Amino acid sequence: MIQFLYRATWFIALLLIQGMVLDRVHFYGYATPVIYSYFILMQGTETPRKQLMLQAFFLGLCVDTFSNTPGLNAAAATFLAFVRGGLLRMQTLRGMSDEFEPTARTMGIYPFLRYIASAVFIHILLLHLIDAFSFFRLGELWWKTISDTLITTVCIWCIDMIRRKQ
């Protein structure tokens, strides 16, 4: 029950921060932090894939409601939940237990950073590809993807460091 309340609090907090603040922030016209993906990335490995995908879809749908982008974030968040297990397995050490929550403390700094960066890159690339729905202006698409990935990775890293201090 406590775990449910903890996750629900994170869900609501990240949703409100993303919807009310970060959707309106654009560094140099390009970089927009997409920190709601942290909710998907921080789920423990014991979370069943179907449950995670449903949570990710609902989170993406809520973000879509705030930002008036029907289905865009829901599709990207659901895909991120789908590939998260594979990305996590690629970054973990062989001697780790099967059930853990992915943080810098449990995974190590560099594997966690690689996990965040690769997951966020895939999420944001899909987000921008669905939004553009073409490969015209590939340079702009690439620049938006890289800048959003960098700023989101830094934000997620900072959130994880703050959580680690508590």
Side-chain angles (χ1 to χ4, degrees), residues 122-141:
I122 289 170
H123 178 248
I124 290 177
L125 178 65
L126 186 62
L127 201 63
H128 287 310
L129 282 175
I130 293 171
D131 187 32
F133 206 66
S134 78
F135 289 109
F136 296 110
R137 295 194 274 159
L138 242 146
E140 183 179 342
L141 180 72

Side-chain angles (χ1 to χ4, degrees), residues 33-149:
V34 185
I35 64 162
Y36 73 88
S37 59
Y38 181 65
F39 179 79
I40 301 163
L41 299 177
M42 76 174 210
Q43 296 294 322
T45 55
E46 75 279 354
T47 306
R49 179 182 259 181
K50 290 179 184 178
Q51 178 184 348
L52 183 65
M53 289 178 66
L54 280 172
Q55 290 174 354
F57 176 76
F58 185 64
L59 177 64
L61 201 59
C62 291
V63 171
D64 284 332
T65 302
F66 272 110
S67 59
N68 198 22
T69 54
L72 185 80
N73 291 292
T78 306
F79 186 74
L80 176 62
F82 179 75
V83 300
R84 183 192 79 104
L87 291 172
L88 197 54
R89 277 191 298 278
M90 288 191 315
Q91 303 304 327
T92 55
L93 302 173
R94 291 184 183 172
M96 293 198 83
S97 65
D98 289 335
E99 294 182 5
F100 66 96
E101 186 176 319
T103 62
R105 182 183 300 154
T106 59
M107 292 177 66
I109 293 173
Y110 294 114
F112 182 66
L113 196 56
R114 285 192 308 263
Y115 165 64
I116 289 173
S118 59
V120 166
F121 177 76
I122 289 170
H123 178 248
I124 290 177
L125 178 65
L126 186 62
L127 201 63
H128 287 310
L129 282 175
I130 293 171
D131 187 32
F133 206 66
S134 78
F135 289 109
F136 296 110
R137 295 194 274 159
L138 242 146
E140 183 179 342
L141 180 72
W142 187 247
W143 175 248
K144 282 182 176 182
T145 302
I146 295 299
S147 62
D148 286 358
T149 300

Side-chain angles (χ1 to χ4, degrees), residues 147-162:
S147 62
D148 286 358
T149 300
L150 288 174
I151 194 75
T152 303
T153 302
V154 168
C155 288
I156 289 176
W157 179 260
C158 291
I159 292 170
D160 188 64
M161 291 297 116
I162 291 169

